[in-house]
Amino acid sequence: MPRVTELDRDSLDPLYRQLASRLQQAIDSGRLAPGARLPSEAELIAIHGVSRVTVRQAIGLLQRQGKVAARRGKGTFVLGPVVRHDLDALQGFRDALVGQGIEPQTRLLEFSADGRAGGGIVAAAAHDGGPPADLDLPVRLQRLYAVDGRPFALVTAWLPQAAAAIGRARAERLTVYQIVEGFLGTPVARAEVVIRSQRAAASVARLLGLARSERQVLVMERRSSTAAGVPCEFMRIQIVPDRFEFRLGVQGPLALAAAVHRVDAVPRGKTKEGVRR
C-alpha cells in the first residue's frame, strides 16, 4: 500500500476512525481488492504515525462493518461484497443471489437416486446427515457455490423419488425449485426455515476453503411443502459466515428476545413454541 499523509490530529474525528476511513477508501478504490491482505500493524503504525491501539481500533471497526476479516497467523484480509438472502420472500438460494446482480459459479458434486445415506466419494466425504426421518425424500443433490472463484456455500438438497428421472446433466443447470416446480410440476406453497451456527465437518471445511480455526459456518435448513402440506424438498446450506447475511422484514414490532427458545431437547422435525429444528 503506498505511503499516505499523516492523519489530522487537530480533527474532532478520532484517529482510529480516520485510519479506518483511509483503509475504506483504499478498498472502495480497488487498491485493496477482495482477498487482499491489509498492511500489518507495524506497517500501518509506520505509515500513519499512530499507536498500536489506534490501529487495532480501526481494524476492529472495519471488522464490525463486515469489510475485513482476521485470519489467525495470516493477517487481516479484505472481504468481498456481502451476499444477502431475504427471508420474507419465497425464493430459491440461487435466485436470491441473481436478484442482487451476483452470478455465482456452481459445481455439482453429486446427484444420487438414493442419497439418504450418502453416496460417492465426494458425497461420503461431505456428508452431514440426511433430512429429518419423517421425510420420504431419497434423491440427493449436492452443489458447491462460489463468487469470484471463492467457495462460500455448500448446498445439499433431498427430493422426491420422481426427481431421479431428471438425470445428472439437467441437474447441473437447474435449481432445486426449478426441479420441484418445473420438472415435477409441484408448486411450492410454504417453506419453513431454520438458521443456526455450527462447526463444520473437516470435509466441508476443505470444500469451503476454511482453515482449522475458521470452521464455524452458518447453516440454513429449508423444508418446502405443497398447499396440501406434502413435503416436496429439504435443503441444508452451509455458508461461510463473513460473506453472507440474512434479512427479514415483518409487519409490526419484532420481539427478538421473546422469540428465543431452547431447542436442544426437541427431536428433529418436531415443533416447540414455533421453533422447528
Side-chain angles (χ1 to χ4, degrees):
M1 181 177 177
R3 182 174 296 274
V4 298
T5 58
E6 287 195 3
L7 304 178
D8 184 359
R9 298 181 181 276
D10 294 325
S11 172
L12 295 178
D13 202 20
L15 291 177
Y16 81 92
R17 287 190 174 275
Q18 293 184 49
L19 177 55
S21 178
R22 293 284 179 88
L23 293 172
Q24 181 64 63
Q25 290 171 14
I27 293 171
D28 292 342
S29 68
R31 285 188 287 125
L32 286 173
R37 185 179 69 85
L38 262 62
S40 67
E41 287 186 359
E43 290 171 325
L44 290 172
I45 290 170
I47 290 172
H48 299 282
V50 294
S51 69
R52 189 174 301 274
V53 171
T54 296
V55 169
R56 290 181 176 178
Q57 286 179 317
I59 292 176
L61 177 59
L62 292 176
Q63 286 179 310
R64 292 192 298 274
Q65 294 174 343
K67 305 298 184 182
V68 301
R71 299 176 186 171
R72 186 174 300 176
K74 296 183 178 180
T76 303
F77 295 81
V78 178
L79 296 176
V82 174
V83 180
R84 181 177 295 111
H85 190 124
D86 290 324
L87 296 177
D88 49 359
L90 186 58
Q91 59 181 337
F93 184 65
R94 188 178 185 280
D95 293 337
L97 304 179
V98 174
Q100 298 171 69
I102 299 171
E103 188 63 43
Q105 301 94 51
T106 63
R107 178 161 61 99
L108 186 65
L109 303 180
E110 180 200 2
F111 182 73
S112 173
D114 190 359
R116 281 168 290 198
I121 296 175
V122 175
H127 189 58
D128 187 35
D134 63 320
L135 300 182
D136 182 21
L137 300 171
V139 176
R140 186 171 187 262
L141 178 154
Q142 191 171 78
R143 204 185 316 265
L144 186 67
Y145 278 73
V147 172
D148 299 327
R150 296 178 60 202
F152 79 96
L154 178 66
V155 177
T156 309
W158 288 266
L159 302 166
Q161 184 63 61
I166 196 172
R168 185 182 181 95
R170 280 184 289 184
E172 287 267 9
R173 56 184 175 81
L174 296 180
T175 67
V176 170
Y177 271 177
Q178 286 173 338
I179 294 173
V180 172
E181 298 189 317
F183 181 78
L184 299 180
T186 306
V188 176
R190 175 180 172 80
E192 299 174 57
V193 173
V194 172
I195 301 172
R196 64 177 181 272
S197 174
Q198 72 179 38
R199 185 170 172 81
S203 54
V204 173
R206 283 194 296 271
L207 285 170
L208 294 175
L210 299 176
R212 183 181 295 273
S213 60
E214 301 172 329
R215 280 173 53 181
Q216 205 69 15
V217 294
L218 283 175
V219 178
M220 182 178 82
E221 291 184 342
R222 183 184 72 194
R223 176 175 180 154
S224 301
S225 306
T226 66
V230 178
C232 55
E233 70 96 29
F234 181 81
M235 176 183 286
R236 180 176 296 120
I237 309 175
Q238 300 183 73
I239 306 167
V240 178
D242 59 16
R243 304 195 66 194
F244 206 90
E245 67 180 28
F246 294 100
R247 185 169 62 181
L248 174 66
V250 299
Q251 294 294 326
L254 178 61
L256 288 175
V260 176
H261 301 278
R262 286 177 60 93
V263 295
D264 55 319
V266 184
R268 181 176 292 277
K270 300 296 183 181
T271 301
K272 178 179 180 181
E273 299 177 331
V275 178
R276 187 185 66 79
R277 292 187 73 186

